[in-house]
Amino acid sequence: MKIIACCKVVPNEEEINVLPTRELSMTGASSKISQYDLNALETGKQLAAETNGTMTALSVGPASALTNSKIRKDILSRGANELSLVQNDSDECFDSLQTAKAIAGALKVMEYDVILCGAGSSDLYAQIVGIQAGTLLDIPVINNVTNIKVLSETILEVERTLEDEVEVLEISLPAVLSVSSEINVPSVPSMRDIMKAGKKPVNELTIEAEMSASTQTLEQLAPAQQERRQEVIEGDGEEAVDALVQFLKKEGF
């Protein structure tokens, strides 16, 4: 089985600075694999092992992030046989539709049975890239997948967890699956995996796709900080209890 695991390189959220204007500054923030895409890579590794198949990692984004050798090695150390990249010259991140178009364009020159995406990206968390890519490719799509069972070379059984039930579905391949973070716990690459990653192939793809942005980001602002309100009611008798009840009613609780 030929598996494509999509992964996005994002700024490390712990290193993003909030300016006095509440704007977010990425200057100085290192890059990392989006947390939710680690689940897609782990799922791809497990499926490849189960089916004696191969996994190709696919990443789309700014060249400034994707030329980072440490990031490339990190992706390849997580079970991928090779890494394919679609890079743009701008430091601006693609919106969800641009990303989906880039993925669909890349897949036109790649062989695949299953395309795996994370639930969303750690930065924008749009949660629709997999659905958009599958629609552009005109193949089946299922999101929020929490379990995958291989029935044959062309059919998978997947569980999809909803708010109050679990759906069990059969899906024919090729298909796009967006996996939930509940599907697995991503493993930590061993030193041997990291050493082997440096010898795996990296393919830089040139695609033909209309890549104009579908949305425009005007500002990225952190939430306004508010001081925590504190009300102290002294005493431990009935009067204090009554005072607390009256206060809560007044506040609309």
Side-chain angles (χ1 to χ4, degrees):
M1 185 174 289
K2 293 181 174 62
I3 300 151
I4 308 292
C6 301
C7 55
K8 185 177 183 180
V9 177
V10 299
N12 188 332
E13 61 271 12
E14 295 181 357
E15 300 174 0
I16 297 174
N17 293 315
V18 179
L19 303 178
T21 58
R22 289 173 44 210
E23 292 181 284
L24 303 181
S25 173
M26 311 296 175
T27 304
S30 60
S31 298
K32 69 171 191 176
I33 304 169
S34 173
Q35 185 66 34
Y36 302 100
D37 291 337
L38 295 178
N39 298 106
L41 289 166
E42 183 70 19
T43 302
K45 180 174 72 172
Q46 294 173 0
L47 272 178
E50 182 179 350
T51 62
N52 197 28
T54 60
M55 178 176 74
T56 298
L58 173 62
S59 190
V60 174
S64 57
L66 298 182
T67 52
N68 187 316
S69 60
K70 183 178 178 181
I71 286 292
R72 292 184 177 192
K73 185 176 289 188
D74 191 12
I75 295 172
L76 286 166
S77 69
R78 297 176 184 275
N81 298 90
E82 59 182 346
L83 171 62
S84 293
L85 303 171
V86 178
Q87 302 174 103
N88 66 70
D89 294 330
S90 169
D91 282 338
E92 295 295 323
C93 289
F94 284 166
D95 62 32
S96 62
L97 184 56
Q98 285 176 295
T99 302
K101 287 179 177 179
I103 290 172
L107 291 172
K108 289 179 181 178
V109 297
M110 302 170 71
E111 295 183 3
Y112 59 88
D113 297 302
V114 182
I115 301 129
L116 298 169
C117 299
S121 61
S122 297
D123 52 358
L124 301 179
Y125 200 61
Q127 303 181 72
I128 54 175
V129 169
I131 295 171
Q132 290 174 321
T135 301
L136 292 170
L137 293 165
D138 195 25
I139 59 177
V141 183
I142 298 179
N143 65 345
N144 211 32
V145 173
T146 51
N147 191 46
I148 301 173
K149 181 179 180 181
V150 179
L151 299 183
S152 71
E153 293 182 355
T154 58
I155 298 177
L156 298 178
E157 179 183 281
V158 302
E159 290 183 6
R160 181 171 180 260
T161 301
L162 304 178
E163 185 175 346
D164 54 359
E165 64 182 11
V166 175
E167 292 182 340
V168 180
L169 307 167
E170 288 188 8
I171 187 168
S172 57
L173 303 181
V176 179
L177 303 179
S178 292
V179 300
S180 165
S181 57
E182 298 175 6
I183 194 169
N184 55 44
V185 177
S187 56
V188 178
S190 66
M191 183 58 66
R192 181 182 179 187
D193 293 329
I194 295 171
M195 296 297 290
K196 289 171 62 178
K199 301 178 181 179
K200 294 180 179 179
V202 177
N203 311 307
E204 298 181 6
L205 305 180
T206 301
I207 63 172
E208 295 182 7
E210 200 287 305
M211 300 299 293
S212 59
S214 59
T215 60
Q216 182 181 3
T217 301
L218 300 179
E219 288 182 303
Q220 285 184 297
L221 300 177
Q225 298 296 309
Q226 293 183 337
E227 293 293 329
R228 180 175 293 182
R229 183 177 174 183
Q230 186 179 55
E231 296 287 340
V232 178
I233 298 175
E234 296 182 353
D236 55 5
E238 292 185 2
E239 291 183 0
V241 173
D242 290 340
L244 175 60
V245 171
Q246 293 304 316
F247 170 76
L248 292 175
K249 285 182 177 180
K250 180 181 177 182
E251 296 297 316
F253 292 101

